[in-house]
Amino acid sequence: MKKILILTTGGTIVSKASENGLQPKITGSELLDYISSMTQKYDITCKSIMNLDSSNIQVEEWKKIAHSIYENIDDYDGIIVTHGTDTMAYTASMLSFMLNNLNKPVVLTGSQMPISNMLTDGKINLYTAFAAIDCNIVGVSIAFNRKVIRGCRAVKVRTMGFEAFESVNSPYLAQVYAVGIKKYGDEHECVDQVEPRRTELLDAVSTKVFLLKLIPNTNPEIFDMIQQMGYKGIVIEAFGSGGLHFERRDLIEKIRQVTSNGMVVVACSQCLYETSDFTLYEVGRKLLECGAIPGRDMTTEAAVTKLMWALGQTNDVNEIRKIFATDLAGEVCL
C-alpha cells in the first residue's frame, strides 16, 4: 500500500458558498471524507498548510509549499497538493525550479467546482493524481480532466470548462482512458538511475520581476518606470515569433538602455503555441543585439517563475543567461 501525503492549500475544490461568494472553507480531513474509498487503497495522510483562494498565493506561499514538500518527500511515495486553478500553473512552475532533482511524484490538482457539489470534477481530478503517483510520474505535474501535464508546461486556458489546463509545446505525461491510465515516455525521469540524486530545496527567489505584454504603440518610457520601481528583471511577451516596434516609438533603444543598467530582459512570444525565434526577422535580431535573453517555447508562467528563481540564485547576468540556456525541468525544448 503506497503512502501518499495530501497537502491542501485552498482553492475551489475546498470552497463553500457564502454571502460573499465561494470561499475556501473545507478542511483537509473533510476533503478526505469525500474520497474515503481511497483510504482502502492507499495509506493517506492529509495536512492543511493554508486555506487560500489561489489569487492570494504568492512567493511566501510558494516557499511554504516547497518546504512542506521537501520536509516530507522522503517519508512518502508521492505528494498531492490541492490548489486553486487560477495560479496553479505559476505554482507548479515555481516548484519545478525550487525542488531540484525531485525523484518522486508531486502532483498538483484542484477543481472547477467545489468537491461538495454533486457535479464536481474534484473527485476525478484527485483520482487522476493518485493514478499519477501509482505510475510513478516523477517531478512536478498537474492532474486535471483525466490528463497529467508537466508542471512547467501547464497553462490555464478556460475559466469555466472542466478542460481548464492545456499542456503547451509538450506532450501529456499521461492520460486516463476507459482501460486505465496510459503513461507516456519522459526523458526527464531519473528513477532508473542506479543512485538517484537527492532532492535539493533551492527556494531563494526575487519578487522584482515584471511581465509586460506588448501592444502596438507601447510607450518606451514604460521601461524607465519599471526600472525606477526597483525591478531587476522583465519578461516581455513580444509579437508573433519575436517582433516589437522600433519605428517612431523605439522599444529597441530603450531595452538597450535598461539592459546596460543591469536589468535582465527575457523575451518570449504572445502566441500560446510553438517557439519564438528572434533570429527570423530584423526586429527580433535587433532585440537579441540589445542583450535580451530568448525564452524560446517556454510558457509565460514558466518564463516568469524561472526568472524570479534565477534572480534568487544570482545577480550575474551571464549566469542567468546560462540558466535560461539550460532545460532544468522540461520547461524548454533546446
Side-chain angles (χ1 to χ4, degrees), residues 250-263:
D250 190 353
L251 296 177
I252 295 293
E253 182 56 34
K254 187 57 67 175
I255 292 171
R256 190 189 312 276
Q257 291 175 18
V258 297
T259 55
S260 296
N261 291 333
M263 177 174 280

Side-chain angles (χ1 to χ4, degrees), residues 235 264 266-267 293-296 298 302-311 318-328 331-332 334:
V235 175
V264 181
V266 174
I293 299 171
R296 289 171 290 184
M298 293 175 65
V304 168
T305 54
K306 188 171 186 177
L307 184 53
M308 288 179 170
W309 180 83
L311 284 166
N318 289 326
E319 288 301 313
I320 293 173
R321 190 176 294 276
K322 289 178 183 178
I323 289 172
F324 269 84
T326 304
D327 179 19
L328 299 177
E331 74 279 4
V332 64
L334 300 177

Side-chain angles (χ1 to χ4, degrees), residues 67-126:
H67 274 262
S68 296
I69 293 169
Y70 180 73
E71 291 166 359
N72 289 283
I73 195 69
D74 290 340
D75 299 326
Y76 294 90
D77 296 298
I79 295 177
I80 296 171
V81 180
T82 60
H83 193 290
T85 59
D86 287 350
T87 62
M88 187 187 293
Y90 284 98
T91 299
S93 290
M94 183 57 87
L95 292 176
S96 299
F97 304 127
M98 284 183 170
L99 297 165
N100 189 39
N101 297 330
L102 192 59
N103 54 26
K104 289 184 181 179
V106 172
V107 191
L108 279 73
T109 193
S111 67
Q112 294 286 69
M113 296 179 73
I115 199 163
S116 57
N117 190 305
M118 71 175 187
L119 299 176
T120 186
D121 55 326
K123 292 182 181 180
I124 190 61
N125 290 340
L126 280 166

Side-chain angles (χ1 to χ4, degrees), residues 234-298:
I234 181 170
V235 175
I236 298 174
E237 286 190 359
F239 305 125
S241 63
L244 70 170
H245 52 74
F246 58 86
E247 296 286 352
R248 291 180 298 281
R249 300 167 184 85
D250 190 353
L251 296 177
I252 295 293
E253 182 56 34
K254 187 57 67 175
I255 292 171
R256 190 189 312 276
Q257 291 175 18
V258 297
T259 55
S260 296
N261 291 333
M263 177 174 280
V264 181
V265 176
V266 174
C268 52
S269 174
Q270 295 179 12
C271 299
L272 190 59
Y273 291 98
E274 301 177 348
T275 189
S276 57
D277 184 353
F278 291 90
T279 67
L280 193 58
Y281 294 96
E282 178 190 13
V283 289
R285 292 187 180 188
K286 284 180 177 291
L287 182 61
L288 293 180
E289 290 169 1
C290 293
I293 299 171
R296 289 171 290 184
D297 66 338
M298 293 175 65

Side-chain angles (χ1 to χ4, degrees), residues 148-217:
V148 183
I149 302 169
R150 189 182 308 283
C152 51
R153 288 290 192 170
V155 176
K156 187 176 182 183
V157 296
R158 292 180 178 84
T159 60
M160 300 293 177
F162 290 148
E163 295 181 354
F165 289 91
E166 191 50 76
S167 182
V168 174
N169 295 327
S170 183
Y172 297 127
L173 296 178
Q175 283 183 274
V176 176
Y177 297 94
V179 293
I181 187 167
K182 178 177 176 58
K183 179 185 177 183
Y184 304 115
D186 182 7
E187 69 275 18
H188 291 275
E189 242 179 82
C190 63
V191 289
D192 293 331
Q193 295 177 357
V194 176
E195 293 184 5
R197 292 173 293 178
R198 184 171 177 82
T199 300
E200 296 179 284
L201 177 65
L202 304 174
D203 69 339
V205 300
S206 171
T207 59
K208 298 298 184 179
V209 171
F210 192 84
L211 172 66
L212 177 64
K213 182 172 185 174
L214 296 184
I215 61 171
N217 308 302

